[in-house]
Amino acid sequence: LMEAAEVRALQDGFDMINMDVRETQTGAIKLYETSGYRLWGVHPRYARVEGRYVPGRYYYKDLTGK
């Protein structure tokens, strides 16, 4: 699904894609990082889960390969 989104973004004229995820979603983080996404920031109160704040991580990928 992620690859399809990247292809579609390129077809629609975009050369950059952004993703964000809760720090607790380790599977998604591993997928992003092994797929060329680069961490650019962390939000300490990204989401509230079961009464406590969970940090979030922000990623980007340059679809032109730069």
Side-chain angles (χ1 to χ4, degrees), residues 5-31:
E6 292 174 6
V7 168
R8 181 59 187 259
L10 283 168
Q11 290 171 343
D12 288 349
F14 295 96
D15 61 5
M16 185 74 62
I17 196 163
N18 298 301
M19 300 278 201
D20 57 275
V21 63
R22 288 193 314 250
E23 194 171 80
T24 56
Q25 295 174 301
T26 56
I29 290 169
K30 184 177 180 179
L31 176 63

